[in-house]
Amino acid sequence: MAEKLTPREKGFSEWYVDLVQKAKLADYSDVKGCMVIRPNGYAIWENMQRVLDKMFKDLGHKNAYFPLLIPESYLKKEAEHVEGFNPQLAVVTHAGGAKLEEPYVIRPTSETIINRSFAKWVQSYRDLPLLINQWANVMRWEMRTRLFLRTTEFLWQEGHTCHETEEDAEKETLQMLEVYRTFAEDYMAMPVMTGRKSESERFAGALRTYSIEAMMQDKKALQAGTSHNLGQNFAKAFETKFQGRDGREHFVWQTSWGVSTRLIGGLIMTHSDDSGLIVPPKLATNHVVIIPIAGKATDVEKSQVLAKSHALAADLRKAGLGVVVDDDESKGPGFKYFEHELVGTCVRIEIGPKDLAKDSCVMVRRDLKQKEFIPLGEAVTKAQAMLDDMQKALFQKAKDFRDSHTFEVNSYEEMKEKADAGFLLAHWNLDAKVEARIKEETGLTTRNRPFALEQEPGKCVVTGEPSPGRIVFSKAY
């Protein structure tokens, strides 16, 4: 039997790293802070890409690609932007055996170089809205890294759009935030809180930043996606202008928005258990594994079991499911059960000679691990129903967990006492110095001001000064 994972209760971080490596999702690289995404992990990313890409295109966005290297002078054009990213920049100073006249920054985000193109492409209001998305890699130099959650290089998508009016840009910003919420909840089965970030957490160079925030099983928050109203800051820096309907020149109003491979880390920490990975069926590559149970069967019985296993696999594939027949005779059934639980196969079907004699099979759902005896003629329908139920159950379980670890706090002492309890809804006076004090003394950070939370004025838990409403505080990744 292969080595088991560190139990979550003994060390959540150790369990997470164990799972990522032993489920063959990712591995460490010899390049500092970078990771190797293995086929099991990349398959999940491809499924995420496929769903999100369609959602973007259904709203009129088109994919493009921009250079990895950005002239250093571009970042300096928007002062707040370069200040915000400066500590994380990787800079190329030499190439082709010679020192470059101007250093290039390896893409930390693409607002600047994309605006350089937008300034050439946008001439009139007839060119708007301009809706562009890019699937790419980015680099942000990190001191402390964790596979998928925070690495020096990671994969993401970044949307960049131009609009005639501030109202149009704000509508786009919130529309894409809703796309992320829908994806997180309907596909990842990961409940999120959508809302506006504090000024200190705002994207460097943006007017406003919005986010989706999820709770992991250790009760920490994960910022799972962001959407930014950039206003006209980058447009003014790069002269991205258009002739308006009034015949006059105007700067465009812009947005940017993105999610990354940290979503895979969020998926792992939301659903998985001490046996390994659990993948919501809508994002799974392998929905079903069929394990023929040969044992001491005769050659004829083995042949019959294998034939039935492959015939059932064909029927399941016709129903649109990803299926594997694990007929490797060098491994025993127990090892195969362990292995497929570890990598997160959603449903296991066992078929042996005794099952064939009863015209039935054994089915086990990954998250429940309960055996059910199902007539073979109903196996396809049952598998589909299991997967539908599993998708819903994973979301409900995660939502119940989040809701049971979300608390209103009405004093600073209560906030300190509950610092490790989950999401804390607290009044705050919007003062960045108070926000910094809370972080220093408790480890809690502001996540967002949730749209779904009914806001009533109150008093800041730290200073007693007026507060416009409650905001989510939590320890976070």
Side-chain angles (χ1 to χ4, degrees):
M1 186 67 70
E3 185 182 353
K4 294 184 178 180
L5 304 178
T6 300
R8 287 163 293 176
E9 64 179 16
K10 288 189 177 180
F12 193 83
S13 294
E14 292 79 4
W15 163 82
Y16 174 80
V17 173
D18 256 7
L19 192 158
V20 169
Q21 292 190 285
K22 291 175 182 175
K24 300 180 180 179
L25 299 173
D27 203 355
Y28 292 102
S29 164
D30 290 339
V31 180
K32 179 178 171 58
C34 295
M35 65 176 172
V36 175
I37 304 177
R38 300 186 66 176
N40 287 355
Y42 201 80
I44 295 174
W45 179 240
E46 286 180 309
N47 289 338
M48 289 179 168
Q49 279 185 302
R50 173 180 49 79
V51 174
L52 283 166
D53 200 60
K54 184 178 186 305
M55 295 174 82
F56 299 157
K57 287 174 179 173
D58 284 348
L59 293 172
H61 303 90
K62 295 181 179 179
N63 288 334
Y65 187 80
F66 297 85
L68 172 70
L69 299 178
I70 301 173
E72 190 177 50
S73 59
Y74 284 18
L75 270 75
K76 293 179 178 179
K77 284 179 177 289
E78 214 291 328
E80 186 182 9
H81 189 66
V82 69
E83 182 181 354
F85 277 100
N86 195 51
Q88 295 179 303
L89 299 181
V91 183
V92 178
T93 58
H94 290 72
K99 186 175 181 180
L100 298 172
E101 290 185 12
E102 179 182 359
Y104 287 104
V105 171
I106 299 177
R107 172 174 53 217
T109 183
S110 299
E111 279 76 9
T112 57
I113 197 163
I114 286 179
N115 257 280
R116 193 66 175 168
S117 292
F118 282 180
K120 293 186 287 185
W121 298 349
V122 176
Q123 302 298 323
S124 162
Y125 69 89
R126 296 181 181 87
D127 300 321
L128 301 173
L130 180 59
L131 309 175
I132 297 294
N133 178 64
Q134 171 174 238
W135 292 97
N137 61 337
V138 294
M139 180 165 283
R140 298 178 183 178
W141 210 256
E142 296 284 356
M143 299 303 295
R144 290 175 292 179
T145 59
R146 185 173 297 179
L147 296 171
F148 288 117
L149 298 176
R150 192 174 295 277
T151 52
T152 296
E153 180 191 14
F154 55 92
L155 306 181
W156 77 349
Q157 60 74 211
E158 49 179 322
H160 296 270
T161 69
C162 297
H163 304 269
E164 281 189 73
T165 67
E166 181 177 11
E167 181 182 2
D168 289 343
E170 183 72 0
K171 182 179 178 181
E172 168 77 3
T173 306
L174 296 176
Q175 174 180 255
M176 300 318 296
L177 187 72
E178 177 62 15
V179 166
Y180 291 154
R181 183 204 65 77
T182 300
F183 175 74
E185 297 195 340
D186 291 358
Y187 289 87
M188 293 182 67
M190 183 176 74
V192 293
M193 287 187 173
T194 61
R196 182 173 169 179
K197 300 291 280 186
S198 69
E199 281 300 296
S200 68
E201 294 287 331
R202 175 175 52 84
F203 178 73
L207 286 182
R208 291 178 287 278
T209 289
Y210 303 91
S211 70
I212 57 171
E213 304 283 339
M215 182 185 290
M216 305 294 98
Q217 289 182 59
D218 62 350
K219 296 173 283 187
K220 289 183 180 178
L222 181 77
Q223 180 177 286
T226 51
S227 188
H228 317 289
N229 185 332
L230 301 178
Q232 295 179 311
N233 292 338
F234 291 94
K236 290 176 179 178
F238 287 87
E239 297 288 307
T240 311
K241 298 183 287 188
F242 67 100
Q243 185 177 45
R245 298 170 192 272
D246 58 2
R248 299 166 58 189
E249 238 182 13
H250 302 271
F251 290 106
V252 297
W253 296 85
Q254 293 183 288
T255 79
S256 67
W257 29 271
V259 295
S260 74
T261 40
R262 81 173 350 216
L263 288 179
I264 299 174
L267 183 151
I268 294 166
M269 293 193 294
T270 299
H271 301 301
S272 301
D273 61 18
D274 291 348
S275 296
L277 181 66
I278 293 179
V279 184
K282 286 186 178 182
L283 293 177
T285 299
N286 293 327
H287 299 101
V288 179
V289 59
I290 300 174
I291 299 180
I293 310 294
K296 298 179 180 179
T298 66
D299 288 344
V300 172
E301 287 174 330
K302 287 181 181 179
S303 178
Q304 291 172 337
V305 167
L306 278 175
K308 191 61 184 178
S309 297
H310 284 286
L312 177 56
D315 290 340
L316 289 163
R317 291 187 185 110
K318 286 178 184 176
L321 303 182
V323 187
V324 173
V325 178
D326 192 342
D327 54 6
D328 184 350
E329 294 186 5
S330 69
K331 301 175 182 177
F335 184 91
K336 293 178 182 180
Y337 301 163
F338 173 89
E339 194 170 52
H340 286 283
E341 285 182 357
L342 179 62
V343 300
T345 309
C346 300
V347 173
R348 183 176 83 230
I349 298 179
E350 304 163 21
I351 302 177
K354 292 181 180 179
D355 299 304
L356 282 187
K358 298 175 184 176
D359 198 31
S360 69
C361 62
V362 175
M363 300 183 72
V364 182
R365 206 173 92 185
R366 170 64 182 86
D367 57 325
L368 298 180
K369 300 184 185 179
Q370 296 172 351
K371 289 191 174 185
E372 294 188 47
F373 296 88
I374 306 298
L376 279 168
E378 300 174 14
V380 173
T381 302
K382 180 64 177 178
Q384 291 174 313
M386 275 188 168
L387 293 168
D388 288 344
D389 289 345
M390 180 177 171
Q391 183 79 30
K392 295 172 186 174
L394 289 177
F395 175 79
Q396 193 59 50
K397 181 180 179 182
K399 185 175 183 299
D400 290 344
F401 180 84
R402 182 198 66 184
D403 293 349
S404 66
H405 293 91
T406 300
F407 308 93
E408 287 190 3
V409 293
N410 296 298
S411 71
Y412 196 31
E413 286 306 312
E414 190 180 5
M415 176 179 269
K416 290 177 181 178
E417 289 171 6
K418 284 188 164 68
D420 296 308
F423 285 176
L424 306 183
L425 307 177
H427 280 288
W428 167 53
N429 65 352
L430 307 185
D431 187 333
K433 292 181 180 179
V434 174
E435 183 181 12
R437 177 186 167 187
I438 292 172
K439 181 178 181 179
E440 182 180 353
E441 295 178 356
T442 69
L444 297 166
T445 57
T446 56
R447 306 318 307 158
N448 64 28
R449 186 179 302 281
F451 296 146
L453 190 65
E454 291 186 15
Q455 294 288 1
E456 295 181 359
K459 293 183 179 180
C460 174
V461 293
V462 178
T463 67
E465 295 174 324
S467 161
R470 295 183 187 271
I471 194 167
V472 177
F473 286 84
S474 177
K475 293 187 176 180
Y477 286 96

